[in-house]
Amino acid sequence: MNTSETVEMELVDFHCHLDLFPNHLDLIRESEALGIRTLTVTNAPSVWPRNRALTANCNYVRAALGLHPELAIERQNEITLFERYLDETRFVGEVGLDGSPRLRPTLQIQEHLFARILTLCAQRGGKVLTVHSREAVSRVIEMLGTHLGSDRGKVILHWFSGTKSESRAGEAAGCYFSVNVRMLQTRRGQELVSGLPPSRILTETDGPFVKIDGRPSMPKDVAKAVKELASIWRISESGAALRVRENLERLLV
Ligand code: MN
């Protein structure tokens, strides 16, 4: 019974980096075959054309146009490519800010790029953004309010690691939260998720950065995050999977 339940669950992996896996194409095919609603994010606009081409005929896999805050210095000139490609997709990511000690010296350029990205998205309207906010949650939420506005785009805070009050600020700003198994296996992550409305939760793997059993996690591994959510919400795994899928459908309306 467990097996059939697993097979029938329609999963959502709304933040992974399939283009960083050597078997990129196989993973796209696997998400298609298993019906996993997959958002494969990118880290620099120059890789967008290949990602767009490889997902163009997919039913379940979508690619996002991104400029990762960790690459702000090296890739800042690609903001012109970001602008050029933005009309080709509804999905934007990975974008955001990283205020951790190693990247704090680059925050000024990160903020400059993120402000530009948000402004471009606000001009277009209707974009869905998956946003990195490590050690910069308050600033990210502030910039979303200043440069995007909740009526001009939808935001998913990916791998959210802020405080409870920051999570409430994100909730008030209309954000969704995509959670992965690594977060959900910590007490802090469990407490954060249990304090958020279940209607705002999506699942992700963030593979290949998150590892499972010593190997990069793949979209189908998102079932492990669903299992953790089921235990936090005290419902069945298939009920948790259904809830996440309904959340995604509401987000994409
Ligand atoms: Mn990521």
Side-chain angles (χ1 to χ4, degrees), residues 1-12 203 220-245:
M1 182 151 177
N2 262 339
T3 315
S4 70
E5 184 179 80
T6 308
V7 169
E8 285 164 21
M9 283 200 307
E10 293 179 55
L11 299 169
V12 173
T203 45
K220 66 182 174 189
D221 295 317
V222 86
K224 293 181 169 63
V226 170
K227 188 175 178 186
E228 298 292 337
L229 283 175
S231 117
I232 291 169
W233 290 336
R234 298 172 201 274
I235 60 176
S236 67
E237 285 178 46
S238 57
L242 178 63
R243 187 177 273 176
V244 168
R245 200 166 74 250

Side-chain angles (χ1 to χ4, degrees), residues 15 17 41 68 94 158 206 209:
H15 185 112
H17 297 255
V41 303
H68 198 292
E94 182 161 357
H158 127 79
D206 204 18
F209 297 107

Side-chain angles (χ1 to χ4, degrees), residues 69 72-73 76 97 103 105-115:
I73 298 290
Q76 55 186 301
L97 300 178
L103 293 161
T106 72
L107 261 177
Q108 201 178 349
I109 181 71
Q110 289 184 45
E111 289 194 9
H112 169 76
L113 293 170
F114 190 44

Side-chain angles (χ1 to χ4, degrees), residues 52-67:
R52 177 196 57 209
L54 289 179
T55 54
N57 298 314
C58 289
N59 293 314
Y60 294 96
V61 183
R62 297 287 179 267
L65 170 66
L67 208 178

Side-chain angles (χ1 to χ4, degrees), residues 35-51:
I36 304 172
R37 289 162 174 79
T38 304
L39 184 65
T40 179
V41 303
T42 57
N43 288 343
S46 51
V47 302
W48 167 253
R50 172 176 159 80
N51 280 270

